């Protein structure tokens, strides 16, 4: 698919990524001059929306994007919470399950050779994942423990010159939860990362 068509398709995928932020994700990834074979990874796949934006760039760059999720949703996706979607409940066990929707998204985008699913808890996968990363997008759970575990287990794998992108960073607590903002601050104050751009709640940092 041409990148224009892919970006238009991405907009139709269920998810929590406004168009401007999706395009910012795509553009930042596309600028990443890759030393092949480049390895990219996103934490938080949901139905594959950000995977299509990043996958569109990965395909052009010859990179592979790992798209990681346990596919049972975050706290705010569960029944009774703000972002619950009954269509994503698996009648087999009554649990939320986004895996087959994610698979269909990647298949429809013709990105099956570029976007590879990793199914499981983020910290378990991280402790068995040795490949250095040219790009990391953190968009997983927003609970304090989960967000910090994502940052602490994945950010050290980002190579010098590589990108660390964080979603749902809200300076104002009225706009959303704190943990993504806190890990963003931690990345900056670690001295290892500098901010290169931002769009909405997306922050793009580069490893020095
Ligand atoms: N990037 C997606 C949105 C991700 S929503 C998009 O563009 O639409 C956050 C996702 O993180 C949810 O699908 C949830 O299942 C996943 N998640 C939360 N905590 C996780 C954990 N500890 N391990 C793996 N996935 C997790
Ligand atoms: Mg998000």
């Amino acid at each position: 698919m041409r990148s224009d068509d892919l970006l238009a398709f991405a907009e139709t995928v269920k998810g929590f990524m406004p168009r401007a932020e999706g395009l910012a994700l795509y553009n930042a990834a596309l600028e990443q001059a890759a030393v092949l074979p480049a390895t990219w990874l996103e934490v938080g796949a949901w139905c594959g929306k950000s995977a299509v934006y990043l996958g569109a760039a990965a395909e052009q760059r010859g990179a592979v994007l790992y798209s990681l999720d346990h596919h049972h949703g975050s706290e705010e996706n569960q029944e009774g919470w703000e972002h619950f979607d009954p269509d994503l409940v698996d009648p087999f066990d009554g649990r939320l399950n986004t895996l087959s929707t994610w698979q269909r998204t990647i298949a429809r985008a013709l990105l099956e050779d570029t976007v590879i699913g990793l199914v499981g808890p983020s910290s378990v996968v991280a402790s068995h994942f040795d490949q250095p990363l040219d790009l990391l997008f953190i968009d997983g759970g927003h609970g304090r423990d989960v967000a910090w575990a994502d940052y602490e287990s994945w950010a050290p794998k980002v190579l010098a010159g590589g990108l660390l992108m964080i979603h749902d960073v809200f300076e104002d607590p009225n706009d959303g939860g704190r943990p993504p903002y806190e890990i963003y601050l931690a990345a900056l104050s670690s001295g290892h990362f500098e901010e290169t751009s931002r769009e909405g709640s997306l922050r793009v940092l580069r490893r020095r």
Side-chain angles (χ1 to χ4, degrees):
M1 237 191 268
R2 287 173 48 243
S3 60
D4 290 355
D5 296 331
L6 262 182
L7 298 175
F9 172 65
E11 274 190 73
T12 70
V13 177
K14 266 186 198 196
F16 314 105
M17 175 70 51
R19 175 183 146 85
E21 294 175 21
L23 293 177
L25 203 59
Y26 167 78
N27 284 317
L30 199 61
E31 280 172 22
Q32 188 64 355
V35 179
L36 298 179
T39 304
W40 300 359
L41 185 139
E42 68 168 4
V43 181
W46 190 242
C47 297
K49 195 180 191 81
S50 53
V52 174
Y53 283 113
L54 286 172
E59 189 174 51
Q60 289 178 62
R61 284 276 165 257
V64 156
L65 172 72
Y66 286 107
S67 176
L68 164 76
D69 206 301
H70 51 41
H71 285 285
H72 296 304
S74 299
E75 201 173 55
E76 64 271 23
N77 306 124
Q78 308 303 321
E79 187 160 12
W81 291 72
E82 192 186 351
H83 294 293
F84 177 63
D85 180 344
D87 294 343
L88 294 171
V89 172
D90 183 349
F92 171 73
D93 58 5
R95 298 174 80 188
L96 212 65
N97 192 332
T98 51
L99 180 55
S100 60
T101 310
W102 177 92
Q103 281 182 302
R104 285 187 214 121
T105 299
I106 302 310
R108 287 182 64 195
L110 306 178
L111 285 171
E112 286 174 303
D113 292 333
T114 299
V115 180
I116 309 298
L118 288 176
V119 182
S122 171
S123 53
V124 176
V125 179
S127 62
H128 292 269
F129 193 100
D130 276 343
Q131 188 68 24
L133 298 175
D134 300 276
L135 180 154
L136 169 64
F137 176 46
I138 297 182
D139 191 20
H142 292 163
R144 177 153 287 122
D145 293 352
V146 176
W148 276 97
D150 285 342
Y151 173 67
E152 285 169 352
S153 58
W154 288 106
K157 301 184 197 293
V158 177
L159 288 161
L163 295 185
L164 166 62
M165 310 206 256
I166 306 176
H167 199 227
D168 303 307
V169 170
F170 299 111
E171 268 98 22
D172 182 347
N174 294 316
D175 295 334
R178 298 274 83 192
Y181 177 60
E182 289 168 9
I183 64 171
Y184 156 77
L185 290 183
L188 286 179
S189 64
S190 73
H192 294 310
F193 295 95
E194 61 194 353
E195 185 166 334
T196 60
S197 61
R198 56 167 66 191
E199 174 65 47
S201 74
L202 177 72
R203 299 290 176 273
V204 181
L205 286 67
R206 185 181 301 282
R207 190 170 194 114
R208 295 177 209 273

